[in-house]
Amino acid sequence: MSYNIESIIFYTSYITFTIFIIGIIYKWSRWASMPIHLRWELYPVPHEKKAEYGGSYLEEVDWAKKTREVTKIGELKEMLEEMLFIKRIYLMNKRLWFLSWFFHFGIYLILVWFLALFLSAIIMSLGVQIPSSNPWAYFLYYVTLITGGLGAIMTIIGGIGLLIRRLSDPVLRDYTTWPDYLNTVLVLITVATGLAAWIYDPAFDLARKFMLSLVTFSQPPPLPTITTVNIALIQLLLVYIPFSKITHFIGKYFTYHKILWDDEPNTGQLDGRVSELLKLPLRWSAPHIRSGETWEKNAAGL
Amino acid sequence: MSRKEVVKINDISKPVKRLVQLKLEDLMPLPPPYDKSGSEPPLTTPKPEWEETYVTELDGYIAIDLPWKPKTKEEEERLIQKFLEGLKKLTSRESNWTFLQPLLLSLEYCAKCQNCAEACPIYIASGRKDIYRPTYRAEVLRRIYNKYIAKKPGGDIELNIFTLMRLAELAYRCTLCRRCVQVCPLGIDNGLIAREIRKLFSQELGIAPKNLHEKGTVQHLKVGSSTGMTPKALLKMVKYIEDFIYEKTGKRIKIPVDQKGADILLIHNAGEFLSWPENVAAFAIIFEEAGLSWTLSSEPLGYDVVNYGAWYDDVQLARIALKHIEIARKLEVKKIVVGECGHATKALVVVADRILTDENRIPRESALPLLRDIVMSNKLNLDPSKNNFPVTLHDPCNIVRLSGIVEPQREILRKIAPMFREMVPHGVYNYCCGGGSGFAIMQSLNFPEWRNKVASRMKFKQILEAFKDVLDPKIPKYVCAPCSNCKGAIRDVLAHYRATELYNIHYGGLVELIVNAMVDLKEPYLDFLKEKKS
Ligand code: SF4
Ligand code: SF4
């Protein structure tokens, strides 16, 4: 393989993707390994039987003696509504919702596009031609076509709208810091170059071929400059994401599942973890606290 | 269209006497009959001598009634240094594992979309003042944290003495109702952030409103009750209540105190004994009539279930909760039932749950489900027509949104109050009474004015709207609030607007209404019904 620009971004694809995966795992485990916190749930909790009106098992006399029923379906439904439709913004602010939903849904479509490209490359490596009359090839060809174009357009409309909203409203402008802008701008530029590259590659043939080269570890096809720039930006984004607030999808998992919806009573299963924490020394220095003593000792006495 | 001036995040450090000045005409308008100008008392300004000692630099109101305003540059420096040390502890595993994950997630992921603002009763009622946005204090803390602790790039902020003083006061402009959290697409908890700031000031700098700390948790742990009531005074109170019951109902009830081995240890908010003895009496009447095995405790803390730590201090929270458990264990009861007190329910049943390990794991319940079961079992002979007046229900945030106890109180009301009507919105989407997070008991200086005018404004509006078809002063009306602190706040707001006097709007708990419906009572249990007749 000669050392042209294609081969460089070919190799960096693996590197950046690995950094991305490691970064995401790191971020996830950082939150997952935090100490257990005191209970701080917020109703409605969708896995409760009485979630419809926000009720909990605490509505029962002698709840501690009864078996607690939870419905994971309710939780799943709420999760999907929030992920796919951003329900909480929809209910409060329709204009913001429109922009935010376009932006996010566009990104989901782009993710589907990536997946479709990847699957296309897999079946191509097995000898199937795309486009061809093979039903899988047919399906993936159209999925790629629709999700790629529509996804990019929706993301750009939503993203520009969100940026304009932030820049034109004095309150939002005041709250927004430059890393906040950078996130949106980086995503927008990446998608915009993708859109430009699409002009040279209307059926995503090149994209598919590049993916095939990645999957089969073989010589990448020659690419137009704009496509190269686009791929380079995607790689930049991959490296950037784990260190940015774009990982809010991880944060959201924890705020909901591990805090707001975590109403599991301690029936002994948490004793071990909590006892460990109660042995930690407290460093607070107000007069009513015995600084340096453990939580346990502090809680037990004055 | 007039363009409203924005108070920016960085304005918090501005060296001016007052960041904002509230004006009556800016506040959220009230519905009729309070929609005309002059129908509510004006706003006052802080006394000049207060400005010397207390922090009036935010909005002129003083929540922290300690003379903590620094006088010299050195004092200022010391406070700032201490604050930063506290912030380090607040964001460390060792000293703040209790809320570390929720706090750091909320600091890290806010998208600053402002979706939460419209859900906040304080922000709306103030006429949408920027400093009361759920995100304002949170963003200030976030920037200080990013700049000084996490060393992350982003928005800048100047941490001077004005920032510090205003941030401390701002932590007491949020009732911790957590209505904002319900609408946040990312689950960011601005209520929690307010509480964490309070914690930092309390646990590191020893700064907290006197009614919460010195006369609150400290007195509670020392004397036995945050009201100052001693065990001896409690026993006298119990006698008084037995006589009260006899007088009201003709029944001679012996209230069980310190009965070892009873099924239920009932603990009230001790404020009930002093301000609303009819609530304590009603519980005794119902429990006796239902034939329950129950007892009160006369041990210090055993007769006061409040836990002000829930509002500002984790260490005090744990100390008080453990005391309650210890008393229940000594009495060998099967469970603790918390009377009509919202924050105590949340603190003891929910928040303290995980630190109650092994033999400390005694079941703890709100009284509402038990009352529902009693009423529904028809053990009491009730005649709903005795409650033939409009009743609306206030949902205490701590019982409803934060503990998921929503229907029991409604089932009872639907059965015993034929003219029951809901407020809009209600249930888990209710608005706070304005007394949440300690505001109901913070009675010093000019803070009650802020509570009545701003914090309770939304609730007062809801009450008026719930009764809009029956405002006629000839018709008595009842706001049922099954929580001592909510009752305190509603009492004050009704008095502030003279709503009882002018429109015959009363308030009280749930058990009083149940007892009022008892068939064998000759006279109404509720006093305002009696006055009407005579
Ligand atoms: S707290 Fe939530 S709703 Fe409020 S600005 Fe932040 S992300 Fe938006
Ligand atoms: S917790 Fe309640 S009072 Fe505090 S900011 Fe949120 S909505 Fe407003």
Side-chain angles (χ1 to χ4, degrees):
Chain A
M1 206 182 287
S2 59
Y3 284 96
N4 53 18
I5 189 83
E6 279 87 0
S7 66
I8 294 176
I9 60 165
F10 173 80
Y11 286 116
T12 49
S13 295
Y14 296 106
I15 299 171
T16 53
F17 188 69
T18 311
I19 295 177
F20 172 77
I21 296 292
I22 294 175
I24 293 293
I25 293 174
Y26 168 77
K27 256 280 150 79
W28 182 280
S29 52
R30 176 172 166 243
W31 293 117
S33 65
M34 287 224 167
I36 189 167
H37 52 82
L38 300 190
R39 250 171 75 188
W40 199 246
E41 71 253 30
L42 185 77
Y43 293 89
V45 169
H47 61 230
E48 285 296 330
K49 247 177 21 195
K50 303 160 177 172
E52 207 177 321
Y53 64 82
S56 76
Y57 62 92
L58 297 175
E59 286 192 339
E60 307 276 330
V61 172
D62 287 328
W63 58 263
K65 287 191 198 147
K66 299 177 182 163
T67 37
R68 194 162 75 93
E69 289 173 50
V70 292
T71 89
K72 284 286 164 189
I73 303 274
E75 199 165 308
L76 203 69
K77 184 170 157 268
E78 183 72 23
M79 233 174 84
L80 286 177
E81 276 177 7
E82 195 47 46
M83 271 169 61
L84 296 178
F85 301 109
I86 324 183
K87 180 172 144 194
R88 279 168 179 73
I89 298 186
Y90 179 78
L91 295 174
M92 291 299 283
N93 186 339
K94 299 281 185 293
R95 209 164 354 148
L96 168 61
W97 175 79
F98 179 81
L99 299 173
S100 184
W101 185 75
F102 253 63
F103 185 66
H104 286 94
F105 204 79
I107 290 175
Y108 295 158
L109 289 180
I110 294 174
L111 294 177
V112 174
W113 178 78
F114 270 115
L115 187 70
L117 272 190
F118 178 71
L119 294 176
S120 302
I122 300 263
I123 64 167
M124 279 163 87
S125 72
L126 299 173
V128 179
Q129 288 287 316
I130 298 181
S132 74
S133 58
N134 175 301
W136 281 108
Y138 193 80
F139 173 72
L140 288 172
Y141 179 79
Y142 283 103
V143 168
T144 313
L145 215 56
I146 294 166
T147 54
L150 194 62
I153 291 167
M154 283 181 81
T155 307
I156 288 182
I157 294 176
I160 291 181
L162 286 172
L163 265 186
I164 292 176
R165 177 174 178 268
R166 271 198 193 273
L167 288 165
S168 60
D169 180 318
V171 172
L172 293 173
R173 201 166 57 223
D174 182 41
Y175 277 73
T176 312
T177 57
W178 68 259
D180 297 331
Y181 286 121
L182 185 64
N183 295 341
T184 321
V185 169
L186 204 56
V187 171
L188 271 180
I189 294 179
T190 309
V191 178
T193 53
L195 209 56
W198 189 28
I199 299 172
Y200 297 93
D201 182 21
F204 297 118
D205 282 332
L206 268 180
R208 236 182 327 266
K209 280 197 190 115
F210 187 75
M211 188 62 99
L212 179 64
S213 74
L214 287 174
V215 166
T216 56
F217 202 71
S218 52
Q219 178 81 36
L223 300 170
T225 315
I226 185 71
T227 310
T228 319
V229 171
N230 177 236
I231 297 176
L233 280 168
I234 293 173
Q235 296 182 2
L236 182 68
L237 201 57
L238 280 178
V239 175
Y240 174 76
I241 284 173
F243 305 98
S244 76
K245 237 166 60 183
I246 301 178
T247 52
H248 59 258
F249 56 91
I250 298 178
K252 189 165 177 161
Y253 172 83
F254 284 96
T255 53
Y256 280 98
H257 294 262
K258 297 294 168 196
I259 299 167
L260 302 178
W261 295 350
D262 180 7
D263 62 349
E264 184 189 0
N266 181 15
T267 53
Q269 83 282 21
L270 302 175
D271 280 10
R273 283 169 77 186
V274 172
S275 309
E276 285 290 297
L277 294 164
L278 288 169
K279 291 196 186 82
L280 291 175
L282 251 111
R283 304 285 176 204
W284 298 100
S285 66
H288 67 284
I289 294 175
R290 287 188 305 183
S291 192
E293 278 289 9
T294 61
W295 277 90
E296 208 163 30
K297 290 236 172 73
N298 259 290
L302 282 180
Chain B
M1 209 175 81
S2 72
R3 288 209 64 169
K4 180 180 97 158
E5 197 149 316
V6 176
V7 178
K8 296 201 170 145
I9 301 293
N10 282 324
D11 290 344
I12 192 147
S13 50
K14 252 198 203 162
V16 291
K17 196 169 145 193
R18 203 94 75 228
L19 195 53
V20 297
Q21 183 79 55
L22 297 186
K23 290 197 222 83
L24 206 49
E25 61 270 24
D26 290 348
L27 304 183
M28 176 189 76
L30 288 170
Y34 290 89
D35 51 344
K36 291 169 229 46
S37 75
S39 56
E40 65 174 302
L43 294 172
T44 59
T45 47
K47 293 186 184 148
E49 65 265 29
W50 292 348
E51 298 180 358
E52 307 270 300
T53 341
Y54 305 110
V55 172
T56 50
E57 277 73 6
L58 180 70
D59 51 7
Y61 291 98
I62 304 155
I64 304 175
D65 49 349
L66 295 178
W68 72 288
K69 199 172 195 167
K71 301 268 184 309
T72 61
K73 262 263 153 279
E74 290 71 54
E75 272 181 55
E76 289 181 5
E77 274 311 307
R78 205 188 54 87
L79 270 177
I80 292 172
Q81 274 323 311
K82 222 145 170 18
F83 174 83
L84 283 175
E85 277 163 39
L87 188 54
K88 225 180 265 160
K89 294 170 195 173
L90 197 70
T91 48
S92 84
R93 178 187 155 98
E94 208 172 59
S95 290
N96 198 28
W97 61 268
T98 45
F99 285 99
L100 186 69
Q101 190 188 43
L103 171 64
L104 291 185
L105 282 166
S106 293
L107 287 180
E108 186 140 334
Y109 285 117
C110 172
K112 301 150 191 190
C113 65
Q114 303 298 336
N115 205 41
C116 48
E118 292 297 311
C120 173
I122 307 249
Y123 171 67
I124 302 292
S126 72
R128 297 188 167 77
K129 292 273 178 268
D130 290 316
I131 59 161
Y132 301 140
R133 282 176 185 276
T135 45
Y136 192 86
R137 68 183 76 74
E139 183 65 16
V140 170
L141 186 74
R142 180 175 297 118
R143 289 192 186 180
I144 298 175
Y145 171 71
N146 284 347
K147 180 170 172 180
Y148 295 94
I149 311 285
K151 312 255 193 279
K152 275 194 237 170
D156 200 19
I157 192 145
E158 191 193 339
L159 176 56
N160 62 18
I161 197 64
F162 288 94
T163 317
L164 192 73
M165 293 192 303
R166 288 183 182 130
L167 188 62
E169 275 294 323
L170 260 181
Y172 291 93
R173 297 296 183 279
C174 158
T175 64
L176 314 186
C177 76
R178 295 174 76 212
R179 206 171 180 273
C180 52
V181 190
Q182 282 177 321
V183 304
C184 174
L186 295 166
I188 304 304
D189 201 327
N190 287 314
L192 174 99
I193 290 183
R195 184 175 180 273
E196 292 294 302
I197 300 172
R198 295 177 180 195
K199 248 167 68 180
L200 194 172
F201 276 94
S202 172
Q203 296 182 178
E204 186 69 9
L205 296 103
I207 294 171
K210 272 194 210 153
N211 284 311
L212 303 196
H213 189 65
E214 197 182 312
K215 296 191 213 150
T217 57
V218 173
Q219 177 164 241
H220 195 185
L221 287 161
K222 206 159 106 200
V223 182
S225 165
S226 57
T227 60
M229 185 160 56
T230 59
K232 232 169 106 196
L234 180 267
L235 291 173
K236 260 204 206 136
M237 240 2 259
V238 171
K239 277 268 153 315
Y240 163 78
I241 285 170
E242 285 172 348
D243 292 343
F244 174 92
I245 294 173
Y246 180 67
E247 224 173 81
K248 279 266 188 189
T249 67
K251 296 176 204 271
R252 265 275 162 228
I253 287 179
K254 176 94 194 81
I255 295 180
V257 180
D258 300 327
Q259 294 263 315
K260 225 173 170 177
D263 288 347
I264 293 170
L265 167 62
L266 173 67
I267 321 184
H268 294 288
N269 175 324
E272 299 284 351
F273 288 97
L274 303 174
S275 301
W276 303 286
E278 65 278 9
N279 181 276
V280 181
F283 263 102
I285 296 169
I286 294 169
F287 279 20
E288 283 301 308
E289 195 80 17
L292 301 185
S293 154
W294 67 292
T295 185
L296 299 181
S297 159
S298 74
E299 282 258 336
L301 279 100
Y303 51 88
D304 194 354
V305 78
V306 303
N307 193 337
Y308 296 174
W311 301 325
Y312 79 104
D313 192 301
D314 286 350
V315 182
Q316 299 291 75
L317 171 93
R319 285 173 177 165
I320 292 170
L322 283 180
K323 275 277 173 206
H324 288 142
I325 296 296
E326 189 187 306
I327 289 159
R329 283 181 57 191
K330 262 205 265 171
L331 279 173
E332 294 169 16
V333 294
K334 297 210 176 77
K335 64 180 172 192
I336 301 177
V337 168
V338 181
E340 294 185 5
C341 178
H343 84 276
T345 304
K346 190 188 69 171
L348 195 58
V349 180
V350 178
V351 183
D353 185 58
R354 287 179 181 160
I355 54 165
L356 302 178
T357 51
D358 297 328
E359 62 275 13
N360 280 338
R361 208 173 302 110
I362 290 181
R364 298 132 359 248
E365 293 176 14
S366 150
L368 300 179
L370 180 61
L371 290 167
R372 184 250 333 259
D373 284 8
I374 293 172
V375 169
M376 293 301 153
S377 70
N378 292 322
K379 274 189 197 144
L380 313 173
N381 196 0
L382 300 176
D383 172 9
S385 72
K386 289 187 153 196
N387 284 333
N388 207 15
F389 46 86
V391 172
T392 191
L393 174 67
H394 163 65
D395 286 300
C397 301
N398 283 308
I399 292 180
V400 178
R401 178 165 33 252
L402 308 183
S403 301
I405 303 168
V406 189
E407 269 296 305
Q409 55 273 43
R410 298 189 147 71
E411 284 176 53
I412 294 171
L413 285 180
R414 285 195 287 263
K415 183 152 169 143
I416 65 162
M419 293 176 76
F420 168 54
R421 70 255 330 270
E422 291 277 15
M423 295 188 195
V424 184
H426 59 262
V428 283
Y429 301 109
N430 76 318
Y431 281 115
C432 171
C433 62
S437 81
F439 290 3
I441 56 150
M442 285 158 58
Q443 297 286 14
S444 40
L445 307 165
N446 58 2
F447 192 72
E449 179 178 299
W450 184 85
R451 173 179 10 94
N452 285 325
K453 289 296 195 201
V454 182
S456 293
R457 198 173 190 82
M458 192 61 94
K459 185 78 328 168
F460 187 55
K461 176 172 182 258
Q462 280 193 295
I463 292 172
L464 292 175
E465 280 166 354
F467 291 139
K468 67 170 186 280
D469 56 325
V470 287
L471 276 172
D472 181 350
K474 285 202 278 301
I475 309 171
K477 295 161 280 283
Y478 190 81
V479 182
C480 171
C483 165
S484 315
N485 283 296
C486 300
K487 275 192 299 202
I490 292 170
R491 171 192 61 201
D492 288 6
V493 80
L494 292 180
H496 182 83
Y497 292 96
R498 295 169 58 214
T500 309
E501 189 186 327
L502 298 174
Y503 301 103
N504 209 354
I505 302 176
H506 304 265
Y507 75 94
L510 180 62
V511 281
E512 295 91 314
L513 216 49
I514 300 176
V515 171
N516 196 59
M518 283 180 150
V519 171
D520 51 358
L521 251 65
K522 296 203 180 54
E523 290 280 311
Y525 190 70
L526 297 165
D527 281 339
F528 64 87
L529 296 173
K530 262 199 325 218
E531 281 157 24
K532 277 242 47 175
K533 274 187 188 158
S534 61

